[in-house]
Amino acid sequence: MGPDVTPNGANDNGTDDDVTITVLGSSGSYPGPGSACSGYLLRHQGFRLWLDAGPGTMANLQTHIGLADVDAVVLSHEHPDHWSDLDGFYIACRYVETRTDVPIYAPAGLCDMMRSEIDEQSPFDWREITDKTKVAIGPFQFTFSRTDHPPETLAARIEPAGNPRVLGYTADTGPAWAIEELGLGLDLVVSEATFLHDREGTSPHMSARQAGTAARAAQAKRLLITHIWPIVDPEQSVAEAREAFGGPVEYARMNATYQL
Ligand SMILES: [Zn+2]
Ligand SMILES: [Zn+2]
């Protein structure tokens, strides 16, 4: 398990006024040795939101909170590196925790795919989201934006109630979508940075350099890079992103908690 105290001093639990984001996994596209794919735990005012549920994230989630404590799940798109642990969560919710009506927000393609195998005893309440959907999920106001990544993939602008700071999450995207679609001046942007500049243009993702350039154009204040392929040295990614961004950059260390 990684550190629960980050350089900016947030602890694992925070206080009610804090908005914290705990990294459950940050490997891009497939898990690395001992590391999980995309997933984050957002906490504010006692509400716990699981954002993306890639392989390995459910195991890490339970080192921070219990499965009964998950108030809502948001899934960015139907690629399995962003949702496959939902299968285990389904089993735990239905047969172990006997939960009902757990809200799961996802694009239509993923809702349809999952609903087809779900019966009336499903513990999940599927709610479709799409480009420009605005929805309050607990104390978080989400506004979604479709990115440059097939199939329908939704980035999010996340505004916590009673706190002026704003979080941006790019989900997966190529460089044809701009972070500024989430608004200028984000306090923290969690951006995919799948590879280094030498692979730009080879798949619908961004390099660390492109993530830094996009965050700079959006006048973001801090950049947390994630969805890094396991073959890439994250320190190199940070160096590349920092040069392009010109501001503070960290990579999303698994199980680290960051304060918004
Ligand atoms: Zn991905
Ligand atoms: Zn993807």
Side-chain angles (χ1 to χ4, degrees):
M1 183 174 158
D4 277 335
V5 176
T6 67
N8 66 11
N11 63 34
D12 191 38
N13 297 311
T15 69
D16 256 15
D17 296 332
D18 292 337
V19 180
T20 61
I21 176 164
T22 299
V23 178
L24 304 177
S26 57
S27 282
S29 306
Y30 63 100
S35 73
C37 285
S38 291
Y40 311 89
L41 170 62
L42 304 186
R43 283 179 281 195
H44 182 46
Q45 296 180 348
F47 193 89
R48 289 139 305 196
L49 187 147
W50 186 5
L51 173 63
D52 274 346
T57 57
M58 183 171 158
N60 288 334
L61 177 80
Q62 293 168 86
T63 68
H64 301 281
I65 63 170
L67 297 176
D69 301 328
V70 175
D71 295 301
V73 178
V74 176
L75 304 172
S76 63
H77 67 301
E78 65 190 71
H79 284 158
D81 62 310
H82 294 258
W83 67 263
S84 69
D85 270 10
L86 206 68
D87 280 341
F89 188 54
Y90 177 97
I91 299 296
C93 285
R94 178 165 173 184
Y95 298 105
V96 181
E97 304 285 353
T98 57
R99 298 189 62 183
T100 56
D101 302 319
V102 181
I104 315 282
Y105 294 82
L110 184 50
C111 288
D112 292 346
M113 197 162 78
M114 300 299 287
R115 271 201 200 108
S116 65
E117 59 186 55
I118 283 171
D119 58 19
E120 287 175 359
Q121 277 85 48
S122 172
F124 293 161
D125 176 8
W126 287 89
R127 301 176 187 191
E128 282 185 19
I129 49 177
T130 189
D131 187 39
K132 298 188 171 58
T133 297
K134 281 183 196 287
V135 61
I137 306 175
F140 298 104
Q141 178 74 35
F142 274 74
T143 307
F144 294 97
S145 174
R146 181 165 187 173
T147 73
D148 168 30
H149 187 80
E152 183 180 16
T153 301
L154 300 172
R157 174 184 171 90
I158 304 165
E159 297 164 90
N163 187 310
R165 299 197 169 191
V166 182
L167 172 67
Y169 174 52
T170 68
D172 284 4
T173 187
W177 174 85
I179 291 173
E180 57 209 86
E181 296 292 327
L182 303 179
L184 293 174
L186 296 165
D187 292 282
L188 175 65
V189 58
V190 180
S191 176
E192 82 127 275
T194 301
F195 34 60
L196 299 173
H197 70 277
D198 58 330
R199 287 183 191 260
E200 285 173 4
T202 60
S203 65
H205 290 289
M206 289 197 290
S207 68
R209 177 170 73 178
Q210 288 170 322
T213 301
R216 184 186 189 106
Q219 299 166 27
K221 296 182 183 131
R222 287 162 63 209
L223 174 60
L224 188 65
I225 55 173
T226 189
H227 198 276
I228 298 170
W229 275 351
I231 57 162
V232 174
D233 173 4
E235 295 298 346
Q236 264 189 285
S237 304
V238 167
E240 195 175 292
R242 187 176 284 143
E243 189 179 347
F245 179 48
V249 180
E250 292 179 76
Y251 77 92
R253 283 175 299 118
M254 193 169 71
N255 289 312
T257 294
Y258 301 84
Q259 195 157 8
L260 179 60

